Amino acid sequence: MLSVLIPTYNYYTLPLVQVIQRQAQLEAIDYEILVFDDASPDTQIIEQNQAINDLAYCCYKVHEHNLGRAENRNQLALKAQYDWLLFLDCDTQPTSADLIKNYLTFIKNSTHNICFGGLAYQKTPPPADELLRWIYGQKREALPVDVRCKNPYQSALVSNILIKRDLVLKHPFDNKLKKYGFEDFAFLDQLKKQQLEIAHLANPVFHLNLEKSSIFLQKHLEALKHLHELIKQDIIKPEATSIGKWTTLLEKFKLDLLVSFFHRFWAPIIKQNLLSKKPSMLLFDLYKLGYFCSIKT
């Protein structure tokens, strides 16, 4: 019936598995929960997660070598034994006791083969040095169903997605993508090219693992470097992303060099705001646009 697949890396995943297992047992379905660790260096976390193997219908496996986020998901799909796959990120928790029940209802009543349940963030603000990640998540990821449906592919994430197994095997994650960022976007963009519709459901999970603002900003810049490479390799079209569209427009009017030039001056000032107690998403967008233009030029 249902294979719940959880890729993990350096994260204590047992609590999530316990919650999902309880929900699946209450529904009295055939299920399994597979957790594949992508060669975490933290041996203490690996030891703690070994307890997953003591739970019924649960498996925790540690890869000998790091495969990358994309290939780890492919391996989970290959190992799965059921027709429906539910991918959950290791640092999530269901917002309700009905996550599995809601997905089973969707499977029973819908003709769609892919469904994104959504993300949510705790309402209580985190420490000041983690606000950038929290506000970004609130504004850009924790979107209601009606907003997500307007851009069904761009607003979906693989951190909480239900999908038929045969679709993942036929259109796997690109295992050549080893660097951080946009491997999930490339996967969803591939589904879009194949005209495989994504349904959206109000069935979110909390994203728990907030990062320091400085780390989140640096990872975002690394992701933009990776996006630049993916565009050059024609894996992702520039118009498929909002920042790609804006950069293409600037290039059309010969303004990309100007934006790149000014980025050198405004970047330190904007960065102060992004690492402050009141980070602005507008300034974040300007910072990313200037940085992306500077990569391309």
Side-chain angles (χ1 to χ4, degrees), residues 255-268:
L255 295 174
D256 53 320
L257 286 171
L258 185 63
V259 171
S260 176
F261 174 77
F262 279 108
H263 175 73
R264 288 184 290 173
F265 298 99
W266 76 49

Side-chain angles (χ1 to χ4, degrees), residues 1-3 32 80-86 107 113 162-168:
M1 178 63 182
L2 181 65
S3 296
E32 64 179 348
Q81 61 176 314
Y82 295 117
D83 292 338
W84 282 96
L85 310 179
L86 174 58
I107 291 172
N113 293 324
L162 180 76
I163 185 169
K164 290 294 288 290
R165 179 173 182 266
D166 61 342
L167 292 183
V168 180

Side-chain angles (χ1 to χ4, degrees), residues 45-72:
I45 285 181
I46 289 178
E47 184 177 348
Q48 292 172 332
N49 282 335
Q50 290 291 349
I52 293 171
N53 287 319
D54 297 329
L55 302 175
Y57 309 111
C58 298
C59 171
Y60 174 69
K61 174 183 176 181
V62 183
H63 296 309
E64 291 185 7
H65 307 286
N66 185 274
L67 303 179
R69 291 151 60 97
E71 182 58 19
N72 195 17

Side-chain angles (χ1 to χ4, degrees), residues 118-283:
L119 276 188
Y121 286 78
Q122 302 284 0
K123 293 184 179 180
T124 304
D129 60 354
E130 296 178 357
L131 280 171
L132 180 61
R133 180 68 185 95
W134 181 71
I135 291 176
Y136 179 86
Q138 293 270 22
K139 300 288 186 181
R140 301 294 168 81
E141 295 176 339
L143 304 175
V145 173
D146 59 332
V147 175
R148 285 191 263 133
C149 286
K150 294 176 181 178
N151 293 289
Y153 297 94
Q154 287 82 356
S155 60
L157 298 164
V158 297
S159 48
N160 177 23
I161 196 166
L162 180 76
I163 185 169
K164 290 294 288 290
R165 179 173 182 266
D166 61 342
L167 292 183
V168 180
L169 298 184
K170 187 176 181 180
H171 309 287
F173 292 85
D174 191 338
N175 60 12
K176 298 189 298 295
L177 307 186
K178 302 292 186 181
K179 297 180 181 179
Y180 176 80
F182 288 93
E183 74 283 342
D184 53 348
F185 186 93
F187 173 71
L188 295 169
D189 191 52
Q190 182 182 199
L191 299 180
K192 181 180 180 180
K193 291 174 182 175
Q194 298 299 323
Q195 299 181 334
L196 298 169
E197 294 184 0
I198 297 180
H200 284 261
L201 188 68
N203 197 29
V205 294
F206 283 121
H207 177 225
L208 302 178
N209 188 28
L210 297 179
E211 302 163 312
K212 302 287 187 183
S213 296
S214 56
I215 295 175
F216 176 64
L217 179 59
Q218 183 58 39
K219 289 175 71 173
H220 225 87
L221 301 186
E222 290 174 11
L224 290 177
K225 287 182 181 178
H226 194 205
L227 175 60
H228 173 59
E229 294 176 10
L230 296 178
I231 290 175
K232 285 182 66 177
Q233 297 166 15
D234 201 32
I235 294 174
I236 293 178
K237 299 292 184 183
E239 61 272 14
T241 66
S242 58
I243 197 165
K245 288 179 182 177
W246 277 105
T247 307
T248 301
L249 183 63
L250 290 172
E251 289 174 347
K252 181 180 178 180
F253 293 100
K254 311 296 183 184
L255 295 174
D256 53 320
L257 286 171
L258 185 63
V259 171
S260 176
F261 174 77
F262 279 108
H263 175 73
R264 288 184 290 173
F265 298 99
W266 76 49
I269 300 172
I270 295 180
K271 187 175 181 178
Q272 286 183 350
N273 169 266
L274 299 180
L275 302 183
S276 73
K277 296 181 179 180
K278 293 184 179 181
S280 164
M281 287 299 99
L282 175 59
L283 291 179

Side-chain angles (χ1 to χ4, degrees), residues 17 22 240 250:
V17 175
R22 284 195 296 269
L250 290 172

